[in-house]
Amino acid sequence: MLFRSGEISVEKFNEIFSGRLTAGFNPESDLDRIGVVNQTTMLAGDTQAIADYLKKIMLRKYSLDESSGDSRFADTHDTLCYATNDNQTAVYKLLETPADLAIIVGGYNSSNTSHLVELCEEKLPSYFISSAEKIVSASEIKHFNLHKKKEFTTEHFLPEKKVIDILLTSGASCPDSVVEKVIERVISLRHTKKGISEMLAELG
């Protein structure tokens, strides 16, 4: 939106977006009314920030205010997949509770799962795994590094303390059965014969 805000020329705009514009696109006339359509698995906060920025530019360009009711900007940020949005909201809430580490379960090529990993990495040591088998033992875990795009093995990933608080979440498309196996695997690391149902019952 640098062009729309008057900071760059039409020529510079076309240079920057070369190969990424629809044939016949004219920034001088085709940016009078805009909207935001996002990838459905984007972080909701990122989508909202982009939409807010673009709206601010349009309001300033046309000397409008929030109450003008002008239709130059279509607020379409709510096109996020509801399951993805729910997962992100849940993780934000979970991160408000103290924990020792996070385990995120899902496919390594899953966009929405990757975003959950990014959220968790900001606050906790985080391990992105695709299945229960990646938790080799109480002292070893195989996990995917988003930034280096490869799987690593980390030793002594569990802290040496009696009670360990683990934030566990999964991508929107991750089967419940896979998540359950991960939970069972984590429980088994504490040398207990209790199952998921019994553990959850104790938690109230």
Side-chain angles (χ1 to χ4, degrees):
M1 288 304 292
L2 291 175
F3 166 75
R4 177 49 59 196
S5 63
E7 296 177 38
I8 64 172
S9 64
V10 176
E11 291 73 20
K12 186 63 176 179
F13 179 93
N14 288 329
E15 178 185 336
I16 293 173
F17 291 96
S18 177
R20 292 178 287 171
L21 297 172
T22 303
F25 182 86
N26 181 356
E28 292 186 295
S29 59
D30 294 334
L31 290 177
D32 284 341
R33 289 181 173 81
I34 65 171
V36 175
V37 178
N38 58 280
Q39 179 189 359
T40 61
T41 55
M42 276 186 67
L43 283 172
D46 289 350
T47 300
Q48 186 64 61
I50 292 170
D52 289 345
Y53 171 76
L54 293 174
K55 184 175 183 179
K56 181 179 178 181
I57 292 293
M58 295 299 281
L59 291 174
R60 187 172 71 221
K61 173 66 179 179
Y62 293 100
S63 302
L64 303 169
D65 59 46
E66 293 281 352
S67 61
S68 66
D70 193 275
S71 60
R72 292 185 183 276
F73 179 80
D75 190 355
T76 56
H77 71 275
D78 60 352
T79 53
L80 277 170
C81 165
Y82 77 90
T84 296
N85 200 24
D86 287 349
N87 277 16
Q88 291 175 15
T89 300
V91 168
Y92 277 120
K93 289 292 185 183
L94 286 171
L95 287 170
E96 294 175 0
T97 302
D100 296 300
L101 66 136
I103 294 177
I104 304 92
V105 190
Y108 293 161
N109 62 348
S110 167
S111 176
N112 75 84
T113 309
S114 296
H115 287 313
L116 297 181
V117 176
E118 292 170 348
L119 291 178
C120 293
E121 283 181 337
E122 294 180 3
K123 296 272 186 83
L124 298 167
S126 301
Y127 302 95
F128 183 8
I129 64 175
S130 58
S131 66
E133 288 70 29
K134 300 299 180 179
I135 304 176
V136 181
S137 67
S139 61
E140 185 178 324
I141 188 171
K142 294 181 178 179
H143 58 101
F144 188 72
N145 186 301
L146 280 179
H147 314 290
K148 297 184 178 180
K149 305 299 181 186
K150 61 184 295 187
E151 194 173 71
F152 288 85
T153 297
T154 294
E155 297 183 349
H156 309 297
F157 74 101
L158 290 179
E160 295 183 2
K161 54 188 294 190
K162 185 176 181 180
V163 177
I164 302 174
D165 294 310
I166 299 175
L167 186 162
L168 194 150
T169 187
S170 64
S173 58
C174 185
D176 290 344
S177 59
V178 173
V179 179
E180 289 175 4
K181 289 183 185 304
V182 171
I183 295 174
E184 290 173 350
R185 180 61 178 150
V186 171
I187 291 173
S188 72
L189 298 180
R190 304 304 288 176
H191 306 292
T192 177
K193 295 182 180 180
K194 297 178 181 179
I196 294 177
S197 298
E198 189 175 354
M199 294 283 282
L200 291 177
E202 289 182 358
L203 291 173

